[in-house]
Amino acid sequence: MSIIHTETALEIHPVTPVIGAEVAGIDLGRPLSPDTVAALKAALHKWKVLFFRDQPISDEQQLAFGRAFGPLTPAHPIAEGLARHPEIWERKAAEYKERYRGDLTMPSARPPRDYKGWHIDITFMANPNKYSILRGVEIPAYGGDTLWSNLALAYAGLSPQIRQLIDGLQAVHRIAGYDGTGAKPRLDGRKAGPFVALHPLVRVHPDTGEKVLFVNPGTTSHIVGLKERESQALLELLFDEVSRPEYTVRFRWSPHAIAMWDNQATAHAGPIDYAHFDLPRVVRRITVAGDLAVGPDGFRSQPLEGELFDVIG
Ligand SMILES: [Fe+2]
């Protein structure tokens, strides 16, 4: 089943029944009409992640596309963006190998980091970004796929008793092992952390009103008010729910493909297989600024350390 918007020529082709749709009938290199932006937003909120193929656009065109959905943030709260476009974060598959490789035979102050896999972008900030837009710049013939999961469905799939329990809870999100010491001063003068945020464990989506399981296997450290073992056990259960195959979609990249996801309603993992290929893979990401998350009980996210994630300007 595909949905055709006659007034905009947009074609929305769902990839699974629950998450992900490919969008055709659009040229992202051209300015978008308000009708097209509204139709894309509606599709994004419904399908959570949109895929666009064969969009050979420039950095500037990617920025213009993103700005149609709201003000952009700097590339990342800690990492630097491109020198000429501080909103753009470039990632190479080789960097993942570098970052997560650990020599297990050498004594070290910290254990080597494992690949964290599933995560929501930058929830160690109290206002993580609303949307992320990732553009394939150099895409290998195979490998480097990305997965997304539908966190509204992950919430809805829990038993009513568990949903009731987590509706009123909050959790701390931080980058394990990072406290900002030794961080290089940023080119834009912003502080590079530390950043720690307190979020509701369940988030009410500001546009759809859906309740979303707001746990981040990458950075949620503990649930407030529970004992350590209770917190660990409950988080382990919820992390498993985030990555259940029936809630996910897997995207096989192609040259000039673009993925845009609602970071308020999804978690993602990728490139999932970087450790097993040496082909070049380069992607560039921009993010649209987001708001404080709000829980079903009205609890609003708070920064525990560091300031809010500002827009660029
Ligand atoms: Fe990410």
Side-chain angles (χ1 to χ4, degrees):
M1 175 206 61
S2 299
I3 301 126
I4 315 271
H5 291 260
T6 44
E7 66 279 16
T8 62
L10 269 189
E11 295 173 32
I12 312 286
H13 303 284
V15 180
T16 81
V18 297
I19 181 169
E22 294 220 5
V23 181
I26 189 168
D27 176 354
L28 299 189
R30 299 176 59 177
L32 304 179
S33 71
D35 278 355
T36 303
V37 173
L40 285 176
K41 238 187 230 182
L44 182 60
H45 292 154
K46 180 173 170 58
W47 295 105
K48 318 296 191 210
V49 54
L50 300 180
F51 307 117
F52 305 86
R53 300 222 184 244
D54 305 315
Q55 303 285 338
I57 63 172
S58 64
D59 290 341
E60 290 76 11
Q61 287 168 318
Q62 184 179 6
L63 292 169
F65 173 59
R67 286 196 190 103
F69 296 88
L72 303 181
T73 68
H76 191 277
I78 296 164
E80 295 284 4
L82 297 180
R84 63 183 185 286
H85 291 304
E87 304 93 338
I88 297 181
W89 196 29
E90 183 175 89
R91 306 306 315 273
K92 297 184 168 136
E95 291 163 358
Y96 287 86
K97 270 195 166 169
E98 203 58 42
R99 186 162 165 213
Y100 295 105
R101 186 173 46 200
D103 184 348
L104 297 172
T105 64
M106 296 296 288
S108 149
R110 268 187 216 139
R113 240 185 119 186
D114 209 354
Y115 175 53
K116 291 284 183 182
W118 285 98
H119 67 280
I120 307 168
D121 284 338
I122 63 161
T123 64
F124 49 88
M125 308 297 280
N127 60 330
N129 55 285
K130 191 179 281 190
Y131 307 130
S132 298
I133 301 167
L134 191 63
R135 172 176 138 234
V137 174
E138 188 169 6
I139 296 300
Y142 59 89
D145 291 4
T146 306
L147 281 68
W148 284 264
S149 74
N150 179 338
L151 297 182
L153 207 54
Y155 175 82
L158 295 166
S159 64
Q161 288 84 350
I162 298 287
R163 292 202 301 258
Q164 195 182 9
L165 169 69
I166 64 173
D167 269 357
L169 293 174
Q170 294 105 41
V172 173
H173 295 230
R174 66 191 320 149
I175 304 173
Y178 178 84
D179 65 2
T181 33
K184 272 196 262 171
R186 289 178 58 87
L187 296 173
D188 59 12
R190 291 179 162 87
K191 283 197 187 140
F195 298 108
V196 181
L198 181 63
H199 291 296
L201 203 51
V202 176
R203 174 174 197 176
V204 179
H205 192 285
D207 294 286
T208 65
E210 285 178 309
K211 286 187 185 178
V212 173
L213 181 59
F214 199 51
V215 292
N216 188 344
T219 57
T220 305
S221 66
H222 63 281
I223 298 170
V224 175
L226 300 192
K227 293 177 184 175
E228 190 176 15
R229 231 162 63 82
E230 296 168 340
S231 169
Q232 276 174 359
L234 183 51
L235 281 179
E236 205 172 304
L237 169 84
L238 299 177
F239 290 163
D240 284 349
E241 295 295 312
V242 166
S243 56
R244 275 170 72 147
E246 61 267 47
Y247 302 154
T248 68
V249 64
R250 176 174 182 145
F251 184 54
R252 181 158 191 215
W253 290 86
S254 52
H256 307 303
I258 291 173
M260 175 180 198
W261 62 95
D262 184 351
N263 197 49
Q264 306 161 119
T266 56
H268 58 281
I272 51 170
D273 47 9
Y274 66 93
H276 303 285
F277 70 91
D278 287 308
L279 300 168
R281 179 185 186 274
V282 181
V283 293
R284 290 187 180 174
R285 190 191 82 180
I286 58 170
T287 54
V288 176
D291 306 314
L292 300 172
V294 180
D297 57 356
F299 178 84
R300 237 163 239 281
S301 300
Q302 301 167 5
L304 296 181
E305 287 187 59
E307 62 265 12
L308 294 180
F309 198 24
D310 220 345
V311 299
I312 217 145

